[in-house]
């Protein structure tokens, strides 16, 4: 499971599945991400490059903040695809 968490990356545009699996693995692998900053860093590391920079720039210190920002960015990205 630690290897899965280390290599976890979002596939396609399925942010919900990525977030859900990430949170499951974080609960099971507490030694890998002992504090909130480590969780945020690991979560952002699995995001697509097109979004990763924007989430990093927001300087989130809480995982829930990073997830919220990522959701907003993915919504904007998907709306751009729909046009």
């Amino acid at each position: 499971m630690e290897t899965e968490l280390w290599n976890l990356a979002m596939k396609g545009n399925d942010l919900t599945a990525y977030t859900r699996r990430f949170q499951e693995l974080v609960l099971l692998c507490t030694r890998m991400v002992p504090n909130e900053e480590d969780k945020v860093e690991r979560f952002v590391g699995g995001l697509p490059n097109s979004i990763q920079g924007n989430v990093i720039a927001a300087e989130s210190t809480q995982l829930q903040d990073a997830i919220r920002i990522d959701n907003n960015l993915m919504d904007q990205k998907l709306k751009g695809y729909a046009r």
Side-chain angles (χ1 to χ4, degrees):
M1 282 188 262
E2 289 179 351
T3 303
E4 183 182 355
L5 178 58
W6 187 256
N7 295 313
L8 187 65
M10 194 169 98
K11 294 176 180 69
N13 293 323
D14 198 353
L15 177 60
T16 303
Y18 171 69
T19 302
R20 184 178 303 129
R21 186 62 182 155
F22 180 83
Q23 289 176 322
E24 290 170 352
L25 291 171
V26 163
L27 288 173
L28 297 170
C29 304
T30 55
R31 291 181 308 166
M32 282 188 66
V33 284
N35 60 48
E36 199 68 16
E37 290 176 1
D38 293 333
K39 290 176 189 174
V40 171
E41 184 178 330
R42 185 68 243 138
F43 178 79
V44 172
L47 296 174
N49 291 336
S50 60
I51 293 176
Q52 202 175 65
N54 291 328
V55 178
I56 291 169
E59 298 181 2
S60 300
T61 58
Q62 299 292 313
L63 180 59
Q64 291 306 317
D65 292 340
I67 291 171
R68 181 183 43 76
I69 292 165
D70 190 36
N71 277 319
N72 290 337
L73 291 169
M74 281 302 294
D75 286 346
Q76 290 174 13
K77 182 178 175 182
L78 293 174
K79 286 177 185 173
Y81 286 153
R83 291 182 184 172

